[in-house]
Amino acid sequence: MNTPPSMVRLTTQRQILLEELSKVNTHPTACELYKMVQKRLPRIGLGTVYRNLEIMVDSGIILKLELGGEQKRFDATTEPHYHVRCTVCGKMDDVTLQVQEEITKKAAEKTSYKIIGHLLEFTGECPDCQKAQAAKTKEADTA
Amino acid sequence: MNTPPSMVRLTTQRQILLEELSKVNTHPTACELYKMVQKRLPRIGLGTVYRNLEIMVDSGIILKLELGGEQKRFDATTEPHYHVRCTVCGKMDDVTLQVQEEITKKAAEKTSYKIIGHLLEFTGECPDCQKAQAAKTKEADTA
DNA sequence: TTTAAATAGGATAGTAAGTATCATTTATAA
DNA sequence: TTATAAATGATACTTACTATCCTATTTAAA
Ligand SMILES: [Zn+2]
Ligand SMILES: [Zn+2]
Ligand SMILES: [Zn+2]
Ligand SMILES: [Zn+2]
């Protein structure tokens, strides 16, 4: 604790980025956020979105989810919580399951690593994709 | 169960790829495996490595680890198990912790997704990076 | 209030992991 | 042996993300 954390300026871009992220519970990707923010700031650059998301992650204002899947996703809810990912469409949602603090202790006993925390992601099929799948199966049966 | 799974030909490249992956417990990336295999097959292409790893993942011979981190890693141990990732150097190791089957049931009660499974990854600092960090701190103190 | 330094933005070029394409080679089957 | 299919290796391409650079804006000093 020697140097104070550098002050993060709350610019228009950052404010709107944070507002848009806070509006949704879809855990959008940087690209999705770019499109959302563009409606309010048509001249914003994609680089600015990436840069500011990273800055906000570093200062603890938002979370970066880099679990399974190709793209990183962002979350305005900073309290530790778990997620489900649809293996069909890639959509992510929160799972309101108590965070298992004790599991890190158990893991620490089993390894020579200094354990900091854990990432838990559930995989499954979202309601939409379940419906689509059901419709498809029905269609195949009647054909 | 209508069409039988397409037979995967065990080519030299695939065999050596699997052998090299089975030799180590470091959960190598595609690029690392490429370098390992190149020593025995100098003319192999990087595309072949990627292609065959994907084929072996699809046929269940190996596992693809795509949780946190930038690159996908591969694992010849197909039984479900957990991993630790070093947040400094990216190295991954197994954690011989009992797989929590019941956690997927708990999650299933909390969401409208059809839960298939879960991915759990611990984050921490590997012994090597701990040592390096300690040496660095000491150096800074004496300076 | 003017001026200088620091910070941030937007445009654009670059990076790197991974994927697609395609001609050639290898394996399998008729 | 020949036809068919599958796999390889070289290469081009895609894409998520990062770095660079110049301009604009904000902040602080003079
Ligand atoms: Zn879905
Ligand atoms: Zn969330
Ligand atoms: Zn390490
Ligand atoms: Zn493993």
Side-chain angles (χ1 to χ4, degrees), chain B residues 56-141:
Chain B
M56 292 196 286
V57 168
D58 289 346
S59 62
I61 303 172
I62 63 170
L63 282 186
K64 176 164 61 171
L65 312 176
E66 40 184 346
L67 283 165
E70 307 298 286
Q71 287 150 278
K72 289 162 191 169
R73 289 174 176 273
F74 298 88
D75 194 337
T77 306
T78 51
E79 294 87 58
H81 62 286
Y82 299 141
H83 295 99
V84 220
R85 177 190 302 273
C86 176
T87 54
V88 181
C89 70
K91 192 165 65 182
M92 288 190 74
D93 271 293
D94 290 335
V95 177
T96 56
L97 189 70
Q98 176 104 31
V99 170
Q100 318 284 120
E101 300 290 3
E102 72 283 1
I103 209 169
T104 57
K105 283 175 201 154
K106 279 188 194 165
E109 291 164 16
K110 299 281 192 178
T111 173
S112 51
Y113 280 58
K114 187 172 75 186
I115 302 286
I116 299 168
H118 71 277
L119 302 168
L120 173 56
E121 178 182 296
F122 296 94
T123 53
E125 207 169 319
C126 77
D128 288 350
C129 289
Q130 284 178 59
K131 271 180 222 158
Q133 184 60 37
K136 213 173 165 186
T137 309
K138 203 174 172 184
E139 191 188 303
D141 285 351

Side-chain angles (χ1 to χ4, degrees), chain A residues 27 65 75 77 81-83 93-94:
Chain A
H27 307 82
L65 312 176
D75 193 338
T77 306
H81 62 286
Y82 298 139
H83 296 98
D93 270 293
D94 288 338

